[in-house]
Amino acid sequence: MRIATYNINGINARLPVLLQWLEEEKPDVVCLQELKSPDEKIPKKAIEDAGYNAIWHGQKRWNGVAILAKGMEIKELERGLPGDPDDVQSRYLEAVVNELVIGCIYLPNGNPAPGPKLEYKLRWYERLTARAAELIEYEVPAILVGDYNVMPTELDTYKPEKYKNDALFLPEVREAFHNLVAQGWTDALRKLYPGEEIYTFYDYFRNAYGRNAGLRIDHFLLSPHLNKKLVSGGVDKHVRGWEKTSDHCPAWIELK
DNA sequence: ATGGCCGTAGAATACGGA
């Protein structure tokens, strides 16, 4: 089973890119982030015509997450991240697909830091860590996948010093990510490519893609059960070079 | 140190993104 994540940066503006990529790669499950669309404007029919069932948690203007599955049932478990009834931002969607728990994640950016946005990000990490602990406790096969808005190590940014005061690379944010992983999760792409440069995001500015000035901020975390089922994975880097494309690349893993 | 590029809302420009 091939599972992909893609921060689409506006599902309606990027629909041709999304459909082209689905047609080329045919992933079994897709987690999308940054839909930037209210629920009623999600291009439901185009997704269905491409062969996918889908659930989504949209919002006007910003955020928004969706889970797509090719010819498989999607049973929704959580809409929104538990732990704060006042959090109105659409950043978490969790479902069972093919007996696998899939959490689709769009973590807050946190900039400018320090400030309330960083505080929200850190609280969000705490809530995600609490939910992740429950999944570990249930001993279910689970994958937490999406845009974590963190470069976990210096290897994950083309220029570490440029980001040392950035909310994507601050020590407390990296620590929050490492604390989550330390519950027993596996960072799948890093496991497959130890010591290698793997980028999933390229800024629109300054020809970042052309210069390979990237960041690795989209991650797959595998529960202990799934660790040994990881076969392969990668980043569909070429999609970042398409017209009217997102600033993120799709990334994927294959589970046996 | 700054601003460069995008989408969205909505009608000019502000905001969020990373």
Side-chain angles (χ1 to χ4, degrees):
Chain A
M1 179 154 90
R2 204 144 37 87
I3 301 162
T5 185
Y6 191 10
N7 179 321
I8 194 73
N9 188 16
I11 193 169
N12 289 302
R14 314 295 183 198
L15 187 59
V17 166
L18 175 63
L19 295 176
Q20 179 68 33
W21 169 70
L22 289 175
E23 172 66 27
E24 281 186 12
E25 301 297 333
K26 300 180 174 59
D28 298 295
V29 175
V30 181
C31 292
L32 297 175
Q33 303 87 32
E34 272 207 90
L35 305 179
K36 291 186 172 179
S37 169
D39 285 338
E40 63 273 18
K41 288 189 182 169
I42 302 290
K44 182 171 182 261
K45 186 172 187 308
I47 292 168
E48 284 171 357
D49 289 348
Y52 286 84
N53 295 321
I55 61 171
W56 52 83
H57 184 26
Q59 179 181 335
K60 192 175 178 180
R61 262 189 123 160
W62 296 308
N63 309 318
V65 284
I67 299 175
L68 281 51
K70 200 172 182 65
M72 287 182 287
E73 188 192 359
I74 306 171
K75 284 182 72 173
E76 185 174 312
L77 294 178
E78 298 284 349
R79 168 169 300 241
L81 184 63
D84 182 2
D86 295 330
D87 184 0
V88 295
Q89 300 189 25
S90 300
R91 296 180 174 276
Y92 188 78
L93 192 56
E94 186 185 286
V96 177
V97 179
N98 195 19
E99 300 181 355
L100 181 65
V101 176
I102 296 171
C104 176
I105 286 159
Y106 176 46
L107 243 128
N109 175 303
N111 281 312
K117 293 188 173 182
L118 177 64
E119 295 308 310
Y120 174 60
K121 180 178 194 173
L122 292 171
R123 287 200 306 275
W124 213 94
Y125 256 109
E126 286 175 11
R127 288 161 56 202
L128 177 61
T129 302
R131 178 58 185 161
E134 291 179 340
L135 295 174
I136 294 277
E137 189 186 333
Y138 299 156
E139 298 190 357
V140 289
I143 172 166
L144 295 174
V145 55
D147 179 357
Y148 281 79
N149 266 319
V150 64
M151 294 85 86
T153 71
E154 298 211 338
L155 183 59
D156 299 313
T157 163
Y158 67 100
K159 195 179 270 191
E161 64 275 20
K162 178 176 162 51
Y163 286 90
K164 68 181 183 352
N165 295 318
D166 191 288
L168 278 67
F169 201 54
L170 282 171
E172 57 265 47
V173 174
R174 292 159 64 186
E175 191 183 348
F177 180 79
H178 291 300
N179 286 343
L180 167 60
V181 172
Q183 292 177 344
W185 301 88
T186 297
D187 177 346
L189 288 181
R190 184 47 76 212
K191 184 190 179 190
L192 290 165
Y193 304 100
E196 278 185 53
E197 221 176 64
I198 324 157
Y199 297 143
T200 64
F201 169 88
Y202 298 90
D203 210 309
Y204 287 122
F205 304 150
R206 302 182 228 82
N207 186 32
Y209 178 63
R211 296 185 296 121
N212 198 35
L215 308 174
R216 187 174 78 99
I217 55 177
D218 300 273
H219 308 298
F220 296 84
L221 296 192
L222 307 182
S223 69
H225 291 75
L226 292 179
N227 191 8
K228 55 187 174 295
K229 295 187 183 274
L230 179 63
V231 177
S232 58
V235 177
D236 293 331
K237 185 178 172 182
H238 68 285
V239 176
R240 181 62 182 80
W242 291 356
E243 289 294 313
K244 296 275 288 177
T245 200
S246 170
D247 42 6
H248 290 249
C249 308
W252 58 274
I253 58 165
E254 172 99 34
L255 296 175
K256 189 161 57 183

